[in-house]
């Protein structure tokens, strides 16, 4: 969000179906409470919420896949409705996983039919904006590349675990206020050499590094900075399944 203040670019904040759902997910947040969480951060940094896009990732039956398909899909329908009601405008629908008694990965026809069922829920809860929905599935060529080469970030599953938080807190405590030698930065993080040989400000270092990553993504993005989201959109993983 700090990066958006200097670039006038939109900020995309996404939550997965396991992180945030009507039952609280593993973060303890519903879509409505996640929105309030994001609004609080935006308020702290002075970023208007109209610059923020809220997205739901892999919305589908995954959190309830140990149940029969109909039960899991009914829960997924409630989740999608809750995301739309909370103002999420980017929805990634993913029904590629099997439920109780089904194969781990479903065939494309079943996956697409279930995703269409969730899309219909999104259309109903979008109300008067439903006719402005955009559906993004991807070209066959894009799907061909993504199936074997797409990147999957799994660290999000662990950040909230007590042992992970304790490890991070321990590392911060060990480094805070200590001077890190220049050769050590040159070896592991050369671009941060300006933090060397002075008492280390952990927050400043972390914010600087995240800003560097944002700048790279921003430079590679084809979206004009003046572009703002104006209507809900949905995407489906019906044929872009990971191997």
């Amino acid at each position: 969000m700090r990066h958006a203040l200097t670039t006038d670019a939109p900020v995309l904040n996404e939550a997965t179906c396991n992180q945030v759902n009507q039952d609280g997910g593993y973060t303890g947040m519903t879509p409505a409470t996640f929105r309030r969480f994001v609004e609080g951060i935006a308020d702290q940094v002075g970023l208007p919420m109209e610059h923020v896009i809220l997205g739901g990732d892999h919305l589908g039956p995954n959190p309830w896949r140990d149940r029969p398909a109909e039960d899991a899909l009914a829960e997924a329908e409630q989740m999608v409705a809750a995301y739309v009601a909370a103002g999420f405008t980017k929805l990634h629908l993913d029904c590629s996983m099997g439920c109780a008694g089904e194969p781990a990965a479903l065939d494309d026809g079943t996956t697409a039919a279930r995703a269409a069922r969730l899309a219909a829920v999104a259309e109903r809860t979008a109300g008067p904006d439903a006719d402005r929905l955009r559906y993004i599935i991807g070209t066959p060529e894009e799907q061909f590349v993504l199936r074997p080469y797409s990147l999957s970030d799994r660290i999000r599953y662990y950040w909230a675990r007590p042992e992970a938080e304790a490890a991070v807190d321990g590392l911060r405590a060990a480094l805070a206020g200590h001077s890190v030698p220049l050769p050590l930065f040159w070896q592991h993080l050369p671009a941060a050499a300006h933090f060397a040989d002075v008492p280390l400000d952990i927050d400043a270092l972390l914010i600087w590094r995240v800003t560097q990553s944002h700048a790279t993504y921003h430079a590679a993005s084809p979206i004009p900075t003046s572009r703002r989201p104006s209507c809900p959109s949905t995407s489906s993983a019906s044929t872009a399944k990971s191997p």
Side-chain angles (χ1 to χ4, degrees):
M1 290 186 180
R2 288 187 175 95
H3 183 262
L5 287 174
T6 62
T7 61
D8 194 36
V11 176
L12 173 61
N13 285 270
E14 291 197 337
T16 70
C17 62
N18 287 315
Q19 291 171 330
V20 174
N21 56 50
Q22 69 271 26
D23 298 327
Y26 65 72
T27 64
M29 288 188 280
T30 66
T33 54
F34 180 82
R35 179 186 181 89
R36 291 194 292 271
F37 173 72
V38 173
E39 287 174 337
I41 298 174
D43 184 63
Q44 289 177 24
V45 302
L47 182 70
M49 274 301 289
E50 56 263 30
H51 290 210
V52 177
I53 304 167
L54 293 177
D57 196 25
H58 293 284
L59 303 187
N62 190 56
W64 308 278
R65 65 185 184 277
D66 59 335
R67 304 185 194 177
E70 278 304 311
D71 291 349
L73 285 168
E75 294 283 0
E77 288 177 329
Q78 293 182 40
M79 177 177 61
V80 168
Y83 268 83
V84 176
F88 286 67
T89 56
K90 178 180 179 293
L91 308 179
H92 168 222
L93 305 179
D94 183 0
C95 296
S96 60
M97 68 294 299
C99 298
E102 297 180 327
L106 298 177
D107 61 271
D108 290 346
T110 302
T111 298
R114 292 179 180 180
R117 176 174 167 177
L118 298 185
V121 172
E123 290 174 347
R124 288 195 301 270
T125 53
D129 289 327
D131 61 342
R132 300 169 60 196
L133 287 166
R134 291 173 293 164
Y135 296 90
I136 305 167
I137 299 176
T139 66
E141 292 78 13
E142 291 170 336
Q143 294 167 6
F144 179 81
V145 172
L146 289 175
R147 274 192 291 268
Y149 296 115
S150 62
L151 301 178
S152 296
D153 175 14
R154 291 293 177 263
I155 188 62
R156 63 179 182 269
Y157 293 125
Y158 310 118
W159 277 126
R161 295 180 61 169
E163 55 266 40
E165 292 184 344
V168 172
D169 290 343
L171 181 61
R172 289 172 61 94
L175 292 175
H178 292 278
S179 296
V180 178
L182 180 61
L184 191 60
F185 269 116
W186 276 350
Q187 183 175 4
H188 298 285
L189 197 61
H194 55 288
F195 286 97
D197 298 325
V198 295
L200 189 60
D201 184 332
I202 297 294
D203 288 337
L205 174 62
L206 294 176
I207 291 171
W208 169 83
R209 185 62 188 90
V210 171
T211 301
Q212 296 301 302
S213 295
H214 285 170
T216 301
Y217 279 105
H218 179 68
S221 173
I223 302 176
T225 56
S226 60
R227 183 175 175 181
R228 294 287 178 263
S230 59
C231 64
S233 65
T234 64
S235 63
S236 170
S238 61
T239 56
K241 295 182 290 187
S242 299

